[in-house]
Amino acid sequence: MKKIFFITLAAMTLLTGCKQEQDDFFSESSASRADKVVAKNYKILTSAPHGWYLKYFPSKEQAYGGYTFCVSFSEDGKVTFAGESDISGGTEKKATSLYTISQSAGVTLSLDTYNEIFSKMADPGAPLSGYAGEGLGGDNEFSILSACADSVTLLGRASGNHAVMYPMASDDWKGFLDKVASIDKKMFASSYTMTIGSDVFDIRTDMRGMYITYVEDGKYVQVSTSYIINDDGMKFYKPFEFKGHAITGFKLNDSGNEFYSFESNDVKLVKNSINKQFVNALWYAQKEDMGEYGAYWWGRWENSVTNNKNLPGEMLLTCFGYFNYAVGLLVDVYVEEDQDSYLGQIFYDYELIGDDQVKLTCAKTGDDYGSMLLSSGYNYGCEPFGYRQPLTFKLSSNNLKEYIDLECLTPTKVGSKQYTNNIRLFMKSKIYPLRNPEDREE
């Protein structure tokens, strides 16, 4: 009998290094030797004619996956970055700041001033995601472990993660980053089925992370890893060892929905149907993306939040989908009196119909804060997804990395008036492009 487990994915990668050459410096003073080492590294970093591409993972746990940057260093101490759109806001954008190389417990590369693209990864204000005070847990200082013309290996002083730079083949940074985005779009799914031999695993993803939960000896075991997009597929931060296989990632192929590991065709990753991807991800919702029915009820919902004297507050984020091992409506409410925000989840049951439909039924209960929200009139927000009656939706999308469309197939009325109930939900928040409410739960 086939074993069926439930899984969620995250990611891993690559290390490289130069041939280590030892120079005979010991007839000179330590200061002179240090100056020569610094000068050598300056020369290598500034000599790449088209700059470098950098494969970088923030966070000590690689919790947010890895991202690709293009970077160049000038002899006058300026460094210029471009990056993937999720970070930079556009692959055509560049940002310049200052850097230095020094001898401090080894050779150190320091980003001395704020870079509008790369420094977001370490920004304590968390402009992209993460936690206040640390952001994504990125680095402003790196130890240079090795440096030569064909690669530079760095170690983040804050994250402890390895990062590698390779010389760019041309000065077309935008074209290079757009190719990475194209591969990301082709391979992206919020859930997959992975097979290893005869074992089948149902897998969720979150950002560029994979979390695998399976049953072993009667107990649930969770394994996580994280990935980055290369020019040939997704690569894990470190080899993922499972079921006797050491998997370094999955390669892009022409099939569209199936990907094989770099090591063996016995390990396969298959994109799940659109309805299964829907209930395995968290989707962001806003009033302007609702149809007539949703706009009506969310207008009443906003008024109830504003006028509720027992719980005055402002809705910061609203999401629907998978959160904390359940499917439902997730609301982040800022309560001015407490100077704090609160997450509440209202639970939904679901039934998958074929490959592209889902039937949603509100359970009319939630977690502690979600149940309190329901009793305070927040049920209006549930109406577009079905509250008084179950609703069946047909799902579609041309780019699941960006959005999903819900077309309600069940008649929806207010009084005697029939309303259309079409909803567009987004994979990324319009407020925080990478923000993940689950990461902010305490």
Side-chain angles (χ1 to χ4, degrees), residues 63-314:
Y64 308 98
Y67 295 88
T68 299
F69 296 86
C70 296
V71 55
S72 65
F73 301 88
S74 65
E75 294 179 357
D76 61 356
K78 294 180 180 178
V79 58
T80 299
F81 283 93
E84 296 183 52
S85 289
D86 284 345
I87 306 297
S88 64
T91 55
E92 76 285 353
K93 296 182 179 180
K94 296 181 179 180
T96 300
S97 54
L98 302 179
Y99 80 98
T100 55
I101 298 175
S102 61
Q103 272 278 16
S104 175
V107 185
T108 300
L109 167 63
S110 301
L111 304 179
D112 297 328
T113 58
Y114 190 89
N115 186 281
E116 292 292 339
I117 291 177
F118 189 78
S119 295
K120 289 179 182 179
M121 311 294 276
D123 191 331
L128 296 173
S129 182
Y131 297 93
E134 65 178 60
L136 294 180
D139 298 277
N140 289 313
E141 284 191 341
F142 297 87
S143 297
I144 301 178
L145 301 184
S146 64
C148 56
D150 60 4
S151 67
V152 175
T153 302
L154 308 171
L155 180 70
R157 288 284 181 92
S159 69
N161 295 338
H162 289 86
V164 185
M165 296 193 302
Y166 303 94
M168 289 286 294
S170 77
D171 59 4
D172 184 11
W173 287 13
K174 183 181 186 316
F176 177 83
L177 293 168
D178 285 344
K179 182 179 179 182
V180 170
S182 175
I183 294 170
D184 189 24
K185 180 180 177 180
K186 290 176 182 177
M187 298 193 73
F188 174 82
S190 57
S191 70
Y192 302 88
T193 296
M194 183 171 72
T195 60
I196 301 178
S198 61
D199 292 325
V200 179
F201 303 87
D202 206 11
I203 296 172
R204 281 188 59 251
T205 68
D206 181 12
M207 296 175 66
R208 287 185 178 168
M210 299 181 170
Y211 312 84
I212 302 176
T213 305
Y214 60 96
V215 178
E216 186 173 80
D217 297 330
K219 297 180 180 179
Y220 282 100
V221 178
Q222 186 175 82
V223 180
S224 66
T225 186
S226 58
Y227 69 90
I228 194 168
I229 296 297
N230 280 354
D231 58 0
D232 56 353
M234 62 170 65
K235 212 62 177 286
F236 298 147
Y237 179 75
K238 57 186 177 182
F240 174 50
E241 297 184 2
F242 192 69
K243 292 286 181 178
H245 293 267
I247 307 166
T248 61
F250 291 90
K251 55 192 174 185
L252 180 68
N253 56 39
D254 296 330
S255 67
N257 290 319
E258 296 183 359
F259 314 103
Y260 295 92
S261 75
F262 287 102
E263 292 72 31
S264 170
N265 286 347
D266 290 337
V267 181
K268 184 170 69 173
L269 198 64
V270 181
K271 289 184 180 181
N272 280 335
S273 62
I274 190 171
N275 54 5
K276 200 165 188 179
Q277 292 195 56
F278 171 66
V279 297
N280 277 288
L282 194 60
W283 304 88
Y284 294 85
Q286 292 197 151
K287 181 181 175 182
E288 59 264 35
D289 303 312
M290 296 281 180
E292 296 174 335
Y293 190 73
Y296 171 83
W297 284 110
W298 274 35
R300 294 191 63 177
W301 187 23
E302 289 172 348
N303 289 334
S304 75
V305 173
T306 302
N307 299 322
N308 191 332
K309 295 180 181 180
N310 295 322
L311 188 66
E314 174 190 2

